[in-house]
Amino acid sequence: MAAAAAVTGSLLLTVGCSSSNSSSGSTSGNTGSGTNWATASSAAAGGGMNALVAAAKKEGTLNVITLPANWANYGTIMKDFTANYGIKINDANPDGSSQDELNAVNQLKGQDRAPDVLDMGTAFAVKGSQQGILDGRQTHHLTAHFGKPF
């Protein structure tokens, strides 16, 4: 779900290895547009926002983890995202911890239900990056605050 994950600029961290594409079973992040969204560095690099949204819609589901609806306005953000883009959100373990997120990334890698979007503490983001399981993309808000990606 690399394309769907990239669309969610409001959310915080994306996972380096995209989950399987539900329509093709591919784990490449390539949704048929010729763009491998798992490796695209930006929406512009993949052909722009319209191409990104089309690829995300084709994937169909965005998997998020540990995003409780009552925290940081995530409930409204997720409802608005689905209303805006027509992409279902699977919110796994909304009350989990940052370590639960890292465990899920490792345990569900390559599966349709692997998390696409994470929101974790800085220490866990650094740990995941050091383990090579996070791709380093982050929202422009984090980049403005911390500089280069973890």
Side-chain angles (χ1 to χ4, degrees):
M1 297 318 206
V7 171
T8 60
S10 303
L11 301 175
L12 297 181
L13 265 162
T14 58
V15 181
C17 299
S18 87
S19 58
S20 296
N21 181 317
S22 58
S23 62
S24 69
S26 167
T27 59
S28 69
N30 188 328
T31 57
S33 67
T35 298
N36 184 341
W37 289 102
T39 59
S41 60
S42 67
M49 248 338 251
N50 289 339
L52 176 59
V53 170
K57 285 181 176 182
K58 184 175 180 181
E59 291 178 8
T61 301
L62 177 70
N63 295 314
V64 303
I65 185 170
T66 70
L67 301 182
N70 63 350
W71 175 256
N73 204 29
Y74 281 140
T76 299
I77 291 168
M78 290 186 283
K79 279 185 206 169
D80 289 350
F81 177 86
T82 296
N84 219 14
Y85 298 108
I87 299 167
K88 179 185 174 211
I89 295 178
N90 176 30
D91 186 10
N93 195 9
D95 297 318
S97 68
S98 294
Q99 185 61 55
D100 291 335
E101 292 176 278
L102 293 178
N103 293 344
V105 170
N106 283 314
Q107 294 166 358
L108 301 173
K109 182 178 179 178
Q111 298 180 31
D112 284 348
R113 58 195 185 105
D116 299 307
V117 178
L118 311 169
D119 177 2
M120 62 179 52
T122 304
F124 288 91
V126 170
K127 180 180 177 181
S129 180
Q130 290 170 342
Q131 292 175 351
I133 62 171
L134 303 178
D135 71 6
R137 285 182 274 185
Q138 59 191 33
T139 67
H140 67 277
H141 298 292
L142 284 175
T143 302
H145 185 72
F146 291 109
K148 69 178 190 166
F150 300 103

